[in-house]
Structure formats: structure tokens, C-alpha cells
Amino acid sequence: MRIVGGYRYQDHVLLLHAQDAFFLARKPRKDSPHTTAAYRRDLHGITSLLADTAGKSIAELTIQDLTVPALRAAFGEFADGHAKTSVARAWSTWNQFLNFCVADGLLEGNPMGAVVRPKAPPPSPKPLRGEDTPEKLLVAAASGARKVRDPWPERDVLVIALGLVAGLRSAEVRALQRSSVVGRPGEQRLHVHGKGSRERSIPIEPSMERVIDAYLASCAVRFPHQRFGPNSALLLDYRGKPIGRGALDYLVKTSYRWAGIRDQVPTGANLHALRHTFATRLAEDGANAAEIMALLGHANLNTSQNYIEATGKERRAAAAGNRTYRALSGLEPGTISPDS
């Protein structure tokens, strides 16, 4: 054990070994591959700067090299080439890593408290712009406006609707199974496995039920020899396999383009723009904050004391109030002419 700058460090513990132990300890949390990759990028970015400062290779760095001056210098250099949000995220990653080091007996105290953390601006919603833009998008999808080699308007409408009237994230859309649609006809809901392994139930209206039924019927026609069970993925690609992240992103981006609304989509937004449109329209149409938070599946510890748990009846009323349902009513995917 060695004391440096008031902190006690284990001798000869390689930094890379400590980081490997950190990820091993996080395995029970079942982080998504995306989250794990982001953590590794943050750790590697600062580690590289620490190595430059210490005049060592990354493989030679030890826990003893994590001094306050070294971390301050590394984060200062990191901040020169990154946005506030990126620096704040890296700070949070390193804070968690060093808290692990303390808990594992590698450090007596976490030096990140002495490293300034930038205050990132709160993320602003990025809904689709234009009062009737969501309706244009739905009609274009139902008409088969998306010109691809193998048009599948039933699936296009379902994907767009899952964002606009259910507010699902990309990962949540891909995680849906056939058994995720539960309840009696006219009273169905989506059972969603959300971010951080949180689950929620989203009421859907009969018009959305018809969209799902039309899509499932199209799957039976497209894949007549394929057997689907309750645990089968709901959203499929053209081969009958679970749709991937890239294919889903491409579907949404090209839907925007063929609907002629690309200039109405905020920069950097894709499927998330539909989720933000869902939340914005609910707020505009009178849903309260507790109802919106419950439907979106957010869990913010800083504001959780303000949440008022809404009853299932109130959530259904809030979801049914989404005026995008009026556009879904009467749509028959694949039967609407692009020129109508």
C-alpha cells in the first residue's frame, strides 16, 4: 500500500486489470452491448491521456498513476476536443470505475471528487416539426411510399406507430416479442422491457391492434413455412429473422425520405424523434407529468419524488388521448395509393 496525495493505492495493480475486474463485476447488471461499449470508450480515452502524461504505455499504467493531478490533466485535455455531454459522461464512467476500486480495496478514496465535472445542459426534446407531419408519415407508410425492392407497408406502419403512439425506444422495439401484446381485443397493451431492465405496460387502442394484426397476417403470408411462438421476435427482417438495429434505423430514415418530411426531422434524431413526438403530443393534449413519465418508462432519481403513480385507467386514458390514433383509424396498410 502506498499513499499519494492523501489517497492510498495498492502497489503494482495494473490499471487494465482493474478495468477488466470492473466489467466483470458489472455483468449481473446485464448492461446492453451499447452501454458496455460506451463505458469502454470512456475508460480508454482517459487512460490513453494518462499514459501520455505518465510517459508510459497503457499496459504499464497502475492504480498508483491515478493521482488527482494526473486525472485533472487528462480530463482537461479530454475536454479540449469533446463536447460537455461527452466529458460529463466520461466523468461519470470514471467515477463509477473508481468507486468500484474503492469497494474492491484497490483505493481508499475516490479522487474524482477533486476533478471538476462540467454541467451538461439538459437534453431538449426533438419531436417531428409541423402540426400534421406525423399524419403525413403514417399515410405515406401505409400507401407503400417507401420504394424498396420488397415493399412491406404493414411493417413500416407498425414501426412508425410504435414510436408515435407507444413512445418506444429503438432497443425496446427490437426486444418486442409476440407475447408482448397482451390482453383482450379492445383492451390490449404492450408489455415493454425498457431501459435498465425496467418493465412497463402501455395501453393501445383498437386502431393500433388492427395495425398489429395486419402485420402479423403479412408475416404469415411472407413466411408460410416458418413457425412462430410466443417468444418469437415481433419485428422481423426480410429473411424472417429478428430485425437488427441497422435495419430498423434504415427503415425509419427511408420512411422519412419517401414521405417527403426529411426537413421536418431534427438533426441527429431518428426513431427517437417519434418517441419525442409521442411525449410532446400527450403533453399538449392534457396528460400530466406522471402519466407521461409512466408511459415513457423514465426513471430519473432527481425528479422521482415528484412522480405520482397513475392508475392503469388513467394511463389508458392518457394514451388514448394521443390524437395520432385518429390517423391510424381507417388505415389499411398496402391498400392506399401513394397518389391518394
Side-chain angles (χ1 to χ4, degrees), residues 29-32 162 166-182 189-202 230-234 271-272 275 294-299 315:
R29 293 175 60 93
K30 299 187 73 68
D31 290 332
S32 70
L162 286 171
L168 299 195
R169 304 175 176 93
S170 174
E172 293 170 345
V173 170
R174 289 181 283 117
L176 287 175
Q177 300 176 336
R178 292 194 168 213
S179 60
S180 299
V181 184
V182 298
R189 60 193 183 277
L190 291 174
H191 187 70
V192 180
H193 294 274
K195 194 173 183 179
S197 299
R198 292 184 295 272
E199 299 184 357
R200 67 187 188 277
S201 186
I202 303 174
N231 296 329
S232 298
L234 180 62
L271 182 59
H272 227 62
R275 175 175 164 84
L295 290 167
L296 284 175
H298 278 165
R315 291 185 189 180

Side-chain angles (χ1 to χ4, degrees), residues 281-295:
R281 284 195 157 190
L282 288 179
E284 291 173 348
D285 292 342
N288 63 44
E291 292 165 341
I292 294 172
M293 287 295 180
L295 290 167

